Coordinates of all heavy atoms in Angstrom, one line a residue:
V29 N 11.5 31.5 77.2 CA 12.8 32.0 77.3 C 12.7 33.5 77.6 O 12.1 34.3 76.8 CB 13.7 31.6 76.3 CG1 15.0 32.2 76.4 CG2 13.8 30.2 76.0
L30 N 13.3 33.8 78.7 CA 13.5 35.3 79.1 C 14.4 36.0 78.2 O 15.5 35.5 77.8 CB 13.8 35.4 80.5 CG 12.9 34.9 81.6 CD1 13.6 34.9 82.9 CD2 11.6 35.8 81.6
E31 N 14.0 37.2 77.8 CA 14.8 38.0 77.1 C 15.7 38.9 78.0 O 15.0 39.8 78.7 CB 14.2 38.9 76.1 CG 15.0 39.9 75.2 CD 14.2 40.9 74.4 OE1 13.1 40.6 74.2 OE2 14.8 42.0 74.1
F32 N 17.0 38.8 78.2 CA 17.6 39.7 79.0 C 18.2 40.8 78.3 O 19.2 40.6 77.5 CB 18.8 38.8 79.7 CG 19.4 39.5 80.8 CD1 18.8 39.4 82.1 CD2 20.5 40.1 80.7 CE1 19.3 40.1 83.1 CE2 21.1 40.9 81.8 CZ 20.4 40.7 82.9
R33 N 17.8 42.0 78.6 CA 18.2 43.1 77.8 C 18.8 44.3 78.6 O 19.1 45.5 78.2 CB 16.9 43.6 77.2 CG 15.9 44.0 78.1 CD 14.6 44.4 77.5 NE 13.6 44.6 78.4 CZ 12.8 43.7 79.0 NH1 13.2 42.4 79.0 NH2 11.9 44.0 79.9
R34 N 19.3 43.9 79.8 CA 19.9 45.0 80.7 C 21.4 44.6 81.0 O 21.9 43.5 80.9 CB 19.2 45.0 82.0 CG 17.9 45.4 81.8 CD 17.2 45.4 83.2 NE 15.7 45.5 83.1 CZ 15.0 44.6 83.7 NH1 15.4 43.7 84.3 NH2 13.6 44.8 83.7
V35 N 22.2 45.5 81.2 CA 23.6 45.5 81.6 C 23.5 44.9 83.0 O 22.9 45.3 83.8 CB 24.4 46.7 81.6 CG1 25.9 46.5 82.2 CG2 24.4 47.4 80.2
L36 N 24.3 43.7 83.3 CA 24.1 43.1 84.5 C 25.2 43.6 85.5 O 26.1 44.2 85.2 CB 24.3 41.6 84.3 CG 23.2 40.7 84.7 CD1 23.1 40.4 86.1 CD2 22.0 41.2 84.2
F37 N 24.8 43.3 86.6 CA 24.8 43.9 87.9 C 26.4 44.4 88.4 O 26.5 45.6 88.3 CB 24.5 42.8 88.9 CG 23.3 41.9 88.4 CD1 23.5 40.7 88.0 CD2 22.1 42.6 88.3 CE1 22.5 40.0 87.7 CE2 21.1 41.7 87.8 CZ 21.3 40.5 87.6
R38 N 27.1 43.7 88.9 CA 28.2 44.0 89.6 C 29.2 44.8 88.9 O 29.5 45.9 89.2 CB 28.9 42.8 90.2 CG 29.7 43.0 91.4 CD 29.7 41.8 92.3 NE 30.8 42.1 93.2 CZ 31.8 41.2 93.3 NH1 32.0 40.2 92.7 NH2 32.8 41.6 94.1
S39 N 29.8 44.4 87.8 CA 30.8 45.1 87.1 C 30.2 45.9 85.9 O 31.0 46.8 85.5 CB 31.9 44.1 86.6 OG 31.3 43.3 85.7
G40 N 29.0 45.8 85.6 CA 28.4 46.5 84.4 C 29.2 46.0 83.1 O 29.5 46.8 82.2
D41 N 29.6 44.9 83.1 CA 30.6 44.3 81.9 C 29.6 43.8 80.8 O 30.3 43.2 79.8 CB 31.5 43.3 82.5 CG 30.7 42.0 83.0 OD1 29.5 42.0 82.9 OD2 31.4 41.2 83.4
K42 N 28.4 43.9 80.8 CA 27.4 43.4 79.8 C 27.5 42.0 79.5 O 27.1 41.5 78.5 CB 27.7 44.3 78.5 CG 27.6 45.8 78.5 CD 27.7 46.5 77.2 CE 27.5 47.8 77.3 NZ 27.7 48.6 76.0
R43 N 27.9 41.2 80.6 CA 27.9 39.7 80.4 C 27.1 39.3 81.7 O 27.1 39.8 82.7 CB 29.4 39.3 80.5 CG 30.2 39.7 79.4 CD 31.6 39.2 79.5 NE 31.9 38.3 80.7 CZ 33.1 37.9 81.2 NH1 34.1 38.4 80.4 NH2 33.2 37.3 82.1
V44 N 26.5 38.2 81.4 CA 25.8 37.5 82.5 C 26.7 36.2 82.8 O 26.8 35.4 82.2 CB 24.4 37.1 82.0 CG1 23.5 36.5 83.2 CG2 23.6 38.3 81.6
D45 N 27.1 36.3 84.2 CA 27.9 35.1 84.6 C 27.6 34.7 86.0 O 26.7 35.3 86.7 CB 29.3 35.4 84.3 CG 29.8 36.6 84.9 OD1 29.3 37.1 86.0 OD2 30.7 37.2 84.5
V46 N 28.3 33.9 86.6 CA 28.1 33.4 87.9 C 28.3 34.6 89.0 O 27.8 34.5 90.1 CB 29.1 32.2 88.3 CG1 30.5 32.6 88.4 CG2 28.5 31.5 89.5
V47 N 29.2 35.5 88.6 CA 29.3 36.7 89.6 C 28.0 37.4 89.9 O 27.4 37.8 90.8 CB 30.3 37.7 89.0 CG1 30.3 39.0 89.9 CG2 31.6 37.1 89.0
D48 N 27.2 37.4 88.7 CA 25.8 38.1 88.8 C 24.9 37.2 89.7 O 24.0 37.7 90.4 CB 25.2 38.3 87.4 CG 26.0 39.1 86.6 OD1 26.5 40.2 87.0 OD2 26.2 38.8 85.4
V49 N 25.1 35.8 89.4 CA 24.1 34.9 90.2 C 24.4 35.2 91.8 O 23.6 35.1 92.7 CB 24.3 33.5 89.9 CG1 23.6 32.6 90.8 CG2 23.9 33.3 88.4
T50 N 25.7 35.1 92.2 CA 26.2 35.2 93.5 C 25.7 36.5 94.1 O 25.4 36.7 95.3 CB 27.6 34.9 93.8 OG1 28.4 35.9 92.8 CG2 28.0 33.6 93.4
S51 N 25.8 37.7 93.4 CA 25.4 39.0 93.8 C 23.9 39.0 94.1 O 23.5 39.5 95.2 CB 25.7 40.1 92.7 OG 27.0 40.2 92.5
V52 N 23.0 38.4 93.3 CA 21.7 38.3 93.6 C 21.4 37.5 94.7 O 20.6 37.9 95.6 CB 20.9 38.0 92.3 CG1 19.5 37.8 92.7 CG2 21.1 38.9 91.2
I53 N 22.0 36.3 94.9 CA 21.8 35.5 95.9 C 22.2 36.2 97.3 O 21.5 36.1 98.4 CB 22.7 34.1 95.9 CG1 22.0 33.2 94.7 CG2 22.7 33.4 97.2 CD1 22.8 32.0 94.4
S54 N 23.2 37.0 97.2 CA 23.7 37.7 98.5 C 22.6 38.7 98.8 O 22.3 38.8 100.0 CB 25.1 38.4 98.2 OG 26.1 37.5 98.0
H55 N 22.1 39.3 97.8 CA 21.0 40.4 98.1 C 19.8 39.6 98.7 O 19.4 40.1 99.7 CB 20.6 41.1 96.9 CG 19.4 41.9 97.1 ND1 19.4 43.1 97.7 CD2 18.0 41.7 96.7 CE1 18.2 43.5 97.8 NE2 17.3 42.8 97.1
V56 N 19.3 38.4 98.2 CA 18.3 37.8 98.7 C 18.5 37.3 100.2 O 17.5 37.3 101.0 CB 18.0 36.6 97.8 CG1 16.9 35.6 98.5 CG2 17.4 36.9 96.4
L57 N 19.8 37.1 100.4 CA 20.0 36.6 101.9 C 20.3 37.8 102.8 O 20.7 37.7 104.0 CB 21.3 35.8 101.8 CG 21.2 34.4 101.2 CD1 22.4 33.7 101.1 CD2 20.0 33.6 101.8
G58 N 20.1 39.1 102.3 CA 20.2 40.2 103.2 C 21.5 40.9 103.1 O 21.8 41.7 104.0
Q59 N 22.4 40.5 102.2 CA 23.8 41.1 102.2 C 24.0 41.7 100.8 O 24.8 41.2 100.0 CB 24.9 40.0 102.5 CG 24.7 39.3 103.7 CD 25.5 38.1 103.9 OE1 26.1 37.7 103.0 NE2 25.4 37.5 105.2
T60 N 23.4 42.8 100.5 CA 23.4 43.3 99.2 C 24.8 44.0 99.0 O 25.4 44.7 99.6 CB 22.3 44.6 99.1 OG1 21.1 44.1 99.5 CG2 22.4 45.2 97.7
P61 N 25.4 43.6 97.8 CA 26.7 44.0 97.4 C 26.8 45.6 97.1 O 25.7 46.1 96.8 CB 27.1 43.3 96.0 CG 26.1 42.1 96.1 CD 24.9 42.5 96.8
A62 N 27.9 46.2 97.3 CA 28.0 47.7 97.1 C 27.6 48.1 95.7 O 26.8 49.1 95.7 CB 29.4 48.0 97.5
K63 N 28.0 47.4 94.8 CA 27.7 47.8 93.4 C 26.6 47.0 92.8 O 26.9 46.1 92.1 CB 28.9 47.8 92.4 CG 29.9 48.6 92.8 CD 31.0 48.6 91.7 CE 32.1 49.5 92.0 NZ 33.2 49.4 91.0
F64 N 25.4 47.2 93.4 CA 24.2 46.3 93.0 C 23.2 47.0 92.2 O 22.8 48.1 92.6 CB 23.6 45.7 94.2 CG 22.6 44.6 94.0 CD1 23.0 43.3 93.7 CD2 21.3 44.8 94.1 CE1 22.0 42.3 93.5 CE2 20.3 43.8 93.9 CZ 20.7 42.6 93.6
D65 N 22.8 46.5 91.1 CA 22.0 47.2 90.1 C 20.5 46.5 90.4 O 20.3 45.4 89.9 CB 22.4 47.0 88.7 CG 21.4 47.7 87.7 OD1 20.4 48.0 88.1 OD2 22.0 47.9 86.6
F66 N 19.8 47.2 91.1 CA 18.4 46.6 91.4 C 17.5 46.4 90.3 O 16.8 45.4 90.2 CB 17.7 47.5 92.5 CG 18.4 47.5 93.7 CD1 19.3 48.3 94.2 CD2 17.9 46.6 94.7 CE1 19.9 48.4 95.3 CE2 18.7 46.6 96.0 CZ 19.6 47.4 96.3
V67 N 17.6 47.4 89.3 CA 16.7 47.1 88.1 C 17.1 46.0 87.4 O 16.3 45.1 86.9 CB 16.8 48.5 87.2 CG1 16.1 48.4 86.0 CG2 16.4 49.7 88.0
S68 N 18.4 45.8 87.1 CA 18.9 44.6 86.3 C 18.6 43.3 87.0 O 18.4 42.3 86.4 CB 20.3 44.7 85.9 OG 20.4 45.8 85.1
A69 N 18.7 43.3 88.4 CA 18.4 42.1 89.1 C 17.1 41.5 89.1 O 16.9 40.5 89.3 CB 19.0 42.3 90.6
D70 N 16.2 42.4 88.8 CA 14.8 42.1 88.8 C 14.4 41.6 87.4 O 13.8 42.2 86.6 CB 14.0 43.3 89.2 CG 12.3 42.9 89.2 OD1 12.1 41.8 89.2 OD2 11.5 43.8 89.1
V71 N 15.0 40.4 87.1 CA 15.0 39.9 85.7 C 13.6 39.7 85.2 O 13.3 40.1 84.0 CB 15.7 38.5 85.6 CG1 15.6 38.0 84.3 CG2 17.3 38.7 86.1
N72 N 12.7 39.2 86.0 CA 11.3 39.0 85.5 C 10.5 40.2 85.6 O 9.1 40.2 85.2 CB 10.6 37.7 86.2 CG 10.5 38.1 87.7 OD1 10.9 39.1 88.3 ND2 9.8 36.9 88.3
G73 N 11.0 41.4 86.1 CA 10.3 42.6 86.2 C 9.1 42.6 87.1 O 8.0 43.5 86.9
D74 N 9.0 41.9 88.2 CA 7.8 41.8 89.1 C 8.0 42.8 90.2 O 7.1 42.9 91.0 CB 7.4 40.5 89.6 CG 8.6 39.8 90.5 OD1 9.7 40.5 90.7 OD2 8.4 38.8 90.9
G75 N 9.1 43.5 90.2 CA 9.2 44.6 91.3 C 9.9 44.0 92.6 O 10.0 44.7 93.6
R76 N 10.2 42.7 92.4 CA 10.9 42.0 93.7 C 12.2 41.3 93.2 O 12.2 40.9 92.0 CB 10.0 40.9 94.3 CG 8.7 41.4 94.9 CD 7.9 40.5 95.4 NE 7.6 39.4 94.4 CZ 6.7 38.5 94.5 NH1 5.9 38.3 95.5 NH2 6.5 37.7 93.4
I77 N 13.1 41.2 94.0 CA 14.4 40.5 93.7 C 14.3 39.2 94.6 O 14.4 39.3 95.9 CB 15.5 41.3 93.8 CG1 15.5 42.4 92.9 CG2 16.9 40.5 93.6 CD1 16.6 43.5 93.3
D78 N 14.2 38.0 93.9 CA 13.9 36.8 94.7 C 14.7 35.6 94.0 O 15.2 35.7 93.0 CB 12.5 36.6 95.0 CG 11.6 36.7 93.8 OD1 12.0 36.4 92.7 OD2 10.4 36.9 94.1
V79 N 14.3 34.4 94.5 CA 14.9 33.2 93.9 C 14.4 33.1 92.5 O 15.2 32.4 91.7 CB 14.5 32.0 94.9 CG1 12.9 31.6 94.8 CG2 15.3 30.8 94.4
V80 N 13.2 33.5 92.1 CA 12.9 33.5 90.7 C 13.8 34.2 89.7 O 14.2 33.6 88.7 CB 11.4 34.0 90.5 CG1 11.0 34.0 89.1 CG2 10.4 33.2 91.4
D81 N 14.2 35.3 90.2 CA 15.3 36.1 89.4 C 16.6 35.3 89.3 O 17.2 35.2 88.2 CB 15.5 37.4 90.1 CG 14.2 38.3 90.0 OD1 13.7 38.5 88.9 OD2 13.7 38.6 90.9
V82 N 16.9 34.6 90.5 CA 18.2 33.8 90.6 C 18.0 32.7 89.5 O 18.9 32.5 88.7 CB 18.5 33.3 91.9 CG1 19.6 32.3 91.9 CG2 18.8 34.3 93.0
T83 N 17.0 32.0 89.6 CA 16.8 30.9 88.6 C 16.7 31.4 87.1 O 17.2 30.8 86.3 CB 15.7 30.0 88.9 OG1 14.4 30.8 88.9 CG2 15.7 29.2 90.3
S84 N 16.1 32.6 86.9 CA 16.2 33.2 85.6 C 17.5 33.5 85.0 O 17.7 33.2 83.8 CB 15.3 34.4 85.5 OG 14.0 34.1 86.0
I85 N 18.5 34.0 86.0 CA 19.8 34.3 85.6 C 20.4 33.0 85.2 O 21.3 32.9 84.2 CB 20.4 35.2 86.5 CG1 19.8 36.4 86.8 CG2 22.0 35.3 86.3 CD1 20.1 37.1 88.0
I86 N 20.4 32.0 86.0 CA 21.0 30.6 85.6 C 20.5 30.3 84.2 O 21.4 29.7 83.5 CB 20.7 29.7 86.9 CG1 21.4 30.2 88.0 CG2 21.1 28.4 86.5 CD1 20.9 29.4 89.4
Q87 N 19.2 30.3 84.1 CA 18.6 29.9 82.8 C 19.3 30.6 81.6 O 19.6 30.1 80.6 CB 17.2 30.1 82.7 CG 16.4 28.9 83.4 CD 16.8 27.6 82.8 OE1 17.4 26.7 83.4 NE2 16.2 27.2 81.7
I88 N 19.5 32.0 81.8 CA 20.0 32.8 80.8 C 21.6 32.4 80.6 O 21.9 32.1 79.5 CB 20.1 34.2 81.2 CG1 18.7 34.8 81.2 CG2 21.0 35.1 80.3 CD1 18.5 36.2 82.0
I89 N 22.2 32.0 81.6 CA 23.7 31.5 81.4 C 23.7 30.2 80.7 O 24.5 30.0 79.8 CB 24.4 31.4 82.9 CG1 24.5 32.8 83.6 CG2 25.6 30.7 82.7 CD1 24.9 32.8 85.0
L90 N 22.8 29.4 81.1 CA 22.8 27.9 80.6 C 22.3 27.9 79.1 O 22.7 27.2 78.2 CB 21.8 27.0 81.3 CG 22.3 26.8 82.7 CD1 21.4 25.9 83.6 CD2 23.7 26.0 82.7
N91 N 21.6 29.1 78.7 CA 21.0 29.0 77.2 C 21.9 29.9 76.4 O 21.5 30.2 75.3 CB 19.6 29.6 77.3 CG 18.6 28.5 77.9 OD1 18.9 27.2 77.7 ND2 17.7 29.0 78.6
K92 N 23.0 30.4 76.8 CA 23.7 31.2 76.0 C 24.2 30.8 74.6 O 24.3 31.3 73.7 CB 25.0 31.8 76.7 CG 24.9 32.9 77.6 CD 26.2 33.3 78.2 CE 26.0 34.6 79.0 NZ 27.3 35.0 79.6
G93 N 24.5 29.5 74.6 CA 25.0 28.9 73.3 C 23.9 28.5 72.4 O 24.1 28.1 71.3
E94 N 22.7 28.8 72.7 CA 21.6 28.3 71.9 C 21.0 29.5 71.0 O 21.2 30.6 71.4 CB 20.5 27.8 72.8 CG 20.7 26.7 73.5 CD 19.5 26.1 74.3 OE1 18.5 26.6 74.3 OE2 19.6 25.1 75.1

């Protein structure tokens, strides 16, 4: 399980939700949102923002209750 320790992207609201997923997907598709946090979006810390980061964020959201 990934440890998510950064304030997430768009609103800086300290919550990880579907808005964050859609922001990263938009970036991956070449349409980077205006308020995009590149450091936070690179969830796995590999220096790239890609589908692996998207799936990691989804896993974080799904595992919130655990």
Side-chain angles (χ1 to χ4, degrees):
V29 177
L30 292 170
E31 178 186 340
F32 193 79
R33 59 192 175 282
R34 301 178 191 128
V35 175
L36 244 274
F37 324 108
R38 202 154 164 232
S39 60
D41 61 4
K42 298 185 183 183
R43 294 178 4 193
V44 181
D45 56 27
V46 71
V47 173
D48 302 314
V49 175
T50 58
S51 293
V52 177
I53 290 171
S54 293
H55 172 75
V56 169
L57 295 175
Q59 302 169 353
T60 304
K63 293 183 178 182
F64 190 75
D65 184 342
F66 290 91
V67 174
S68 296
D70 182 16
V71 177
N72 64 356
D74 67 355
R76 297 178 304 192
I77 300 168
D78 54 22
V79 70
V80 175
D81 298 302
V82 173
T83 57
S84 297
I85 295 166
I86 293 169
Q87 282 300 106
I88 291 165
I89 292 168
L90 294 176
N91 292 324
K92 274 187 177 179
E94 296 180 8

